């Protein structure tokens, strides 16, 4: 394909985009339990208006657009307050959870170069359930990952972490909550180990940072995870998840400004000018900053609390409905609005293949992630799911019955996920995933 020699009329472009979109997962009807944090239409409108108002502004140079600097500073101040940060704490807005985590890890590496000069091969402790963005960050920064196993219930095993920590460990990470099962790691225990050792402890609250505080206020039990926990030195919290901002907005926060300085990059000798940048990006979209700021102000604490209540209502309805279906179970004890549905043997009947149930649900228009070890269907529940929780459960019951009655071997995604999930040689699985990634732009781009 070439750039068209002449321009295309606007209505044709709109028509083409609509046609392309027809093949997408449907975010608007809340049948999606992943990737989109479905909220009220008025919140979306506020975010869109703010985004387009600052469509062309670039936060690369904070001197040129003081409006963006102000909005970023205020958004970070509000997020620090939400995380109960002490006086003197500081943070930055980033483009998403992955950038926040990469920066938190770069900060740890550069902090250790100054504060732990004897460490030549820095190690980071990551629970096996930690988001892949953390493993990717360690890979990019050439830090050695030491994997912490989970304890029963899927939280990180703090006793194992204590055994695995060495003189070369510079950072311990815990998640609040971890994505796979929605379980909060024992942050207080992990942070205590870090504090005893005089090293850093990052809490990945990308997923839960804008949900757990409201869940706690609603009276649900939430283990301590924020800056109130001594030893927690940094936290990431995503505005574009349960903050309901436009995509491209997260935050990374530090207990002290001194720690944050290790995050910055300075290049003073470039013929193009003096250069200093807080994160990975050079050009930083003003729209994402403005939309995040606008939604924080628009919703206020009351608005967030109300949305959290709806998401928790939907989660409770779905979780208790799932537990009532013979042969299904919820893995672990999720604390907020994310859960993993697994299958178990019931009486003489063996456990059903949960991926088969997933395929049947997908044929009815439901979309979610598929987790592994043990196999599960992963649901990120949004406030908009309150209205469709009953319909979801009715379809789930029907699909479980259908899977139970079926004598056929798993096909389609179920067969693929089942095979890839159970292959003991993970190198084969990695090759298959690379192959998949590499093939996505082959053909006309319309294949799913
Ligand atoms: C716990 C956790 N950390 C990090 C991330 C990565 O965030 P992003 O996709 O914005 O890079 C996610 C995404 O779901 C997450 O759940």
């Amino acid at each position: 394909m070439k750039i068209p020699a002449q321009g295309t009329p606007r209505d044709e472009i709109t028509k083409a985009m609509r046609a392309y979109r027809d093949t997408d997962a449907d975010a608007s009807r809340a049948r999606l339990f992943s990737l989109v944090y479905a909220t009220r239409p008025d919140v979306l409108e506020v975010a869109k208006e703010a985004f387009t108002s600052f469509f062309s502004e670039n936060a690369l140079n904070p001197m040129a657009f003081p409006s963006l600097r102000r909005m970023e500073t205020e958004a970070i101040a509000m997020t620090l307050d939400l995380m109960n940060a002490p006086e003197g704490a500081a943070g930055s807005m980033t483009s998403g959870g992955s950038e926040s985590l990469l920066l938190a890890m770069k900060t740890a590496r550069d902090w250790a170069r100054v504060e732990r000069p004897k460490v030549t091969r820095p190690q980071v402790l990551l629970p096996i359930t930690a988001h892949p963005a953390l493993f990717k960050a360690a890979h990019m920064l050439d830090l050695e990952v030491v994997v912490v196993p989970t304890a029963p219930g899927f939280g990180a095993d703090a006793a194992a972490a204590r055994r695995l920590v060495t003189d070369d460990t510079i950072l311990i990470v815990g998640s609040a909550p971890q994505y796979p099962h929605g379980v909060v790691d024992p942050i207080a225990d992990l942070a205590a180990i870090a504090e005893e050792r005089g090293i850093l402890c990052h809490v990945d609250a990308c997923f839960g940072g804008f949900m757990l505080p409201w869940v706690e206020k609603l009276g649900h039990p939430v283990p301590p995870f924020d800056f109130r926990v001594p030893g927690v030195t940094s936290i990431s919290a995503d505005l574009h998840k349960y903050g309901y901002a436009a995509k491209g907005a997260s935050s990374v926060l530090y207990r002290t400004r001194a720690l944050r300085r290790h995050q910055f990059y300075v290049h003073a000798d470039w013929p193009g000018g003096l250069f200093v940048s807080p994160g990975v990006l050079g050009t930083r979209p003003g729209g994402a900053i403005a939309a995040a700021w606008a939604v924080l102000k628009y919703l206020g604490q009351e608005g967030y609390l109300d949305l959290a209540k709806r998401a928790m209502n939907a989660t409770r309805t779905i979780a208790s409905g799932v537990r009532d279906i013979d042969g299904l179970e919820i893995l672990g004890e999720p604390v907020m609005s994310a859960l993993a549905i697994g299958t178990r043997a019931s009486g003489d009947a063996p456990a059903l293949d949960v991926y088969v149930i997933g395929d049947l649900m997908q044929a009815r228009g439901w979309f979610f992630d598929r987790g592994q070890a043990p196999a599960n269907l992963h649901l990120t529940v949004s406030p908009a799911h309150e209205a469709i929780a009953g319909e979801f459960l009715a379809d789930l019951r029907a699909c479980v019955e259908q899977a139970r009655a079926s004598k056929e071997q798993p096909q389609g995604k179920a067969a693929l996920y089942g095979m890839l999930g159970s292959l003991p040689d993970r190198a084969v699985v990695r090759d298959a995933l690379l192959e998949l990634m590499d093939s996505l732009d082959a053909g006309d781009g319309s294949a799913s």
Side-chain angles (χ1 to χ4, degrees), residues 49-386:
E49 192 194 332
F51 198 100
T52 47
S53 304
F54 284 83
F55 182 80
S56 302
E57 273 78 352
N58 184 347
L60 168 61
N61 184 340
M63 307 308 166
F65 301 107
S67 58
L68 292 181
R69 184 165 43 136
R70 186 163 177 193
M71 284 190 278
E72 176 169 4
T73 304
E74 292 184 5
I76 287 296
M78 289 185 260
T79 311
L80 283 166
D81 179 63
L82 187 65
M83 294 294 109
N84 291 294
E87 201 58 39
S92 304
M93 271 188 77
T94 72
S95 61
S98 299
E99 187 185 355
S100 292
L101 295 168
L102 179 66
L103 292 177
M105 218 174 253
K106 181 235 184 249
T107 298
R109 187 196 64 180
D110 290 4
W111 167 87
R113 283 178 179 169
V114 177
E115 304 293 337
R116 295 286 177 280
K118 288 204 188 112
V119 176
T120 52
R121 185 70 200 129
Q123 296 176 332
V124 295
L125 255 55
L126 294 184
I128 189 167
T129 47
H131 193 274
L134 283 153
F135 290 83
K136 179 162 70 174
H139 171 73
M140 290 169 119
L141 295 163
D142 198 22
L143 297 170
E144 187 185 331
V145 172
V146 175
V147 176
V148 178
T150 51
F154 301 104
D157 184 340
R162 186 174 283 285
R163 284 194 300 276
L164 289 167
V165 81
T166 71
D167 289 345
D168 289 330
T169 312
I170 60 165
L171 173 73
I172 303 179
V173 178
S175 308
Q178 39 90 312
Y179 184 83
H181 316 97
V183 169
V184 176
D185 285 330
I187 302 298
D189 297 339
L190 297 174
I193 301 169
E195 205 177 24
E196 281 165 34
R197 288 268 178 171
I199 57 174
L200 303 181
C201 174
H202 180 79
V203 175
D204 176 6
C206 285
F207 197 25
F210 280 88
M211 178 55 97
L212 291 176
W214 317 115
V215 173
E216 186 182 345
K217 282 203 170 71
L218 288 168
H220 301 281
V222 173
F225 73 96
D226 63 17
F227 283 115
R228 286 172 292 183
V229 179
V232 169
T233 49
S234 58
I235 299 180
S236 48
D238 287 1
L239 288 142
H240 67 192
K241 293 193 171 75
Y242 285 106
Y244 308 110
K247 289 193 176 39
S250 167
S251 67
V252 56
L253 316 170
Y254 299 93
R255 192 176 276 279
T256 64
R257 296 183 88 77
L259 193 52
R260 187 183 61 169
R261 281 171 81 97
H262 295 289
Q263 177 190 297
F264 299 157
Y265 177 75
V266 181
H267 189 61
D269 308 317
W270 184 41
L274 300 173
F275 188 93
V276 56
S277 126
V280 175
L281 304 189
T283 291
R284 300 168 70 215
I289 294 173
W293 177 87
V295 173
L296 285 165
K297 298 284 268 190
Y298 179 67
L299 279 173
Q301 301 197 21
E302 199 182 18
Y304 277 112
L305 200 61
D306 178 61
L307 289 173
K309 199 165 159 185
R310 290 160 189 258
M312 289 306 283
N313 281 345
T315 309
R316 204 171 5 195
T317 307
I318 291 174
S320 69
V322 166
R323 288 192 178 104
D324 284 346
I325 299 175
D326 199 24
L328 294 191
E329 64 179 353
I330 305 282
L331 304 182
E333 292 286 339
V335 280
M336 52 171 232
S337 44
L339 44 91
I341 303 174
T343 52
R344 59 182 161 75
S346 135
D348 291 340
L352 293 168
D353 184 332
V354 80
Y355 296 145
V356 169
I357 300 169
D359 281 3
L360 293 169
M361 287 294 277
Q362 194 153 337
R364 290 175 184 236
W366 301 101
F367 185 95
F368 24 61
D369 292 337
R370 285 144 175 89
Q372 57 177 342
N376 66 81
L377 304 176
H378 185 276
L379 268 57
T380 299
V381 182
S382 297
H385 290 130
E386 201 183 20

Side-chain angles (χ1 to χ4, degrees), residues 2-22:
K2 291 180 198 287
I3 297 174
Q6 278 85 40
T8 312
R10 217 171 134 176
D11 59 338
E12 256 182 58
I13 292 175
T14 309
K15 226 165 83 191
M17 284 194 294
R18 287 215 185 101
Y20 280 21
R21 191 177 245 185
D22 279 348

Side-chain angles (χ1 to χ4, degrees), residues 354-426:
V354 80
Y355 296 145
V356 169
I357 300 169
D359 281 3
L360 293 169
M361 287 294 277
Q362 194 153 337
R364 290 175 184 236
W366 301 101
F367 185 95
F368 24 61
D369 292 337
R370 285 144 175 89
Q372 57 177 342
N376 66 81
L377 304 176
H378 185 276
L379 268 57
T380 299
V381 182
S382 297
H385 290 130
E386 201 183 20
I388 49 91
E391 197 190 332
F392 172 81
L393 286 170
D395 274 356
L396 186 61
R397 259 182 239 110
C399 290
V400 168
E401 283 319 311
Q402 208 176 328
R404 191 166 278 136
S406 167
K407 300 275 176 284
E408 282 172 30
Q409 288 296 318
Q411 293 168 354
K413 277 203 172 121
L416 184 71
Y417 275 90
M419 192 263 289
L420 293 181
S422 59
L423 268 181
D425 186 350
R426 303 316 284 168

